[in-house]
Amino acid sequence: MSKIKLMSHLVAGYPTDEIALTAARALIAGGADILEIQLPFSDPSADGPAIQGACTEVLSRKYKTADGLKFIETLHKEFPETPIYIMSYGSLIYTPGIKTFCKKAALAGVKGMIIPDLPFDFDEGLTQACKENGMVNIPVASPSMSKERIKKMANFGFPYIYAALRTGITGTDTTIDKDTLDFLKDVAEGGSKIYGGFGISNGQQSQALADRVEAVVAGSVFVRTINANRDNTEKLYEAVKAKASEITHS
């Protein structure tokens, strides 16, 4: 049984920083290689009900971007060898100034930025600001993009590209079929390493993707697992760890 690399998604502060930290520990114990931390956002464009609900709950506590960065800093201090990526939306990083935001993120221990609604070729200076701060900008490719645009992104020189495995919102199961694998091949054409996700919730899916991606990305499945066990941190830890292990060791 070979190990499959996993980028696991967590919403900062959900349902509390303490519980989110327990979940992060469980993810790493279960084999997660990268932590993708979402800064809660009020109007997501691709998040399904689980992640959107989590963001809404965290924001109802008046949770700020600064709180999210503090949570990331705590994670980085405990797991300095584990890359941490921020996932959020353009307005959240554009408002304080992209250079300012990237500097703060890097100081907190962030290694990469995933901002789905910033086009890769009109990114308001994000790629450059990431480079200046020792981070990478990871653009998002979607099957709804034209072949020409996918080809352009694939040959743009990004070290990594996040391939969303289908259109729509995340959280519902994704079928890994020939079209999915052809899409991944197109996105990888220029030599970028590919992170593949959107609706990944079990080991069978991760096994189908393993040979085509640098890492499998899973998010909503962990948010649902956290929510189902939020009243018992021991059960939460074991459930999250077990799900991460299933996805990484299938």
Side-chain angles (χ1 to χ4, degrees):
M1 187 188 296
S2 58
K3 164 80 166 63
I4 299 166
K5 288 184 75 173
L6 169 64
M7 183 201 298
S8 55
H9 174 286
L10 278 179
V11 175
Y14 179 73
T16 66
D17 277 357
E18 187 86 15
I19 294 173
L21 184 57
T22 298
R25 290 170 179 149
L27 287 166
I28 290 171
D33 302 274
I34 302 162
L35 294 175
E36 178 193 15
I37 306 300
Q38 177 164 346
L39 297 180
F41 188 71
S42 59
D43 187 24
S45 58
D47 294 328
I51 293 175
Q52 190 170 352
C55 286
T56 300
E57 182 176 332
V58 175
L59 289 170
S60 73
R61 304 202 319 261
K62 310 297 183 190
Y63 202 82
K64 305 291 185 192
T65 298
D67 299 316
L69 290 175
K70 190 175 179 183
F71 172 70
I72 288 169
E73 188 175 0
T74 301
L75 279 181
H76 177 62
K77 284 178 179 173
E78 185 165 341
F79 303 106
E81 302 304 315
T82 302
I84 297 174
Y85 297 156
I86 278 180
M87 183 266 148
S88 198
Y89 290 91
S91 66
L92 213 63
I93 65 166
Y94 184 82
T95 301
I98 285 177
K99 286 188 175 184
T100 300
F101 185 94
C102 285
K103 188 173 182 179
K104 286 182 178 178
L107 286 171
V110 175
K111 293 299 181 190
M113 302 281 288
I114 302 168
I115 312 296
D117 58 341
L118 274 185
F120 71 93
D121 46 355
F122 293 96
D123 69 1
E124 304 291 347
L126 177 61
T127 298
Q128 184 59 35
C130 283
K131 282 181 183 173
E132 290 169 2
N133 290 281
M135 301 188 297
V136 289
N137 176 29
I138 304 166
V140 178
S142 166
S144 63
M145 292 166 64
S146 68
K147 288 275 189 183
E148 294 77 17
R149 189 150 179 79
I150 289 174
K151 189 177 183 69
K152 185 180 179 184
M153 180 187 282
N155 290 281
F156 217 70
F158 290 106
Y160 303 97
I161 295 174
Y162 183 129
L165 300 177
R166 58 172 169 73
T167 56
I169 58 172
T170 190
T172 53
D173 274 351
T174 295
T175 303
I176 313 300
D177 55 17
K178 184 181 181 298
D179 288 345
T180 310
L181 299 179
D182 287 346
F183 166 64
L184 288 170
K185 185 178 177 183
D186 290 343
V187 177
E189 176 191 281
S192 302
K193 293 181 178 179
I194 307 302
Y195 298 129
F198 237 60
I200 301 303
S201 62
N202 60 59
Q204 190 176 0
Q205 292 168 307
S206 61
Q207 187 65 50
L209 289 171
D211 294 339
R212 304 296 184 102
V213 299
E214 170 70 8
V216 171
V217 187
S220 292
V221 64
F222 293 121
V223 174
R224 290 194 295 267
T225 304
I226 291 165
N227 190 43
N229 297 280
R230 60 194 290 169
D231 296 330
N232 186 323
T233 52
E234 285 184 22
K235 280 178 68 177
L236 182 146
Y237 180 91
E238 292 304 327
V240 170
K241 180 183 172 184
K243 180 52 73 173
S245 185
E246 177 196 337
I247 291 172
T248 57
H249 294 88
S250 292

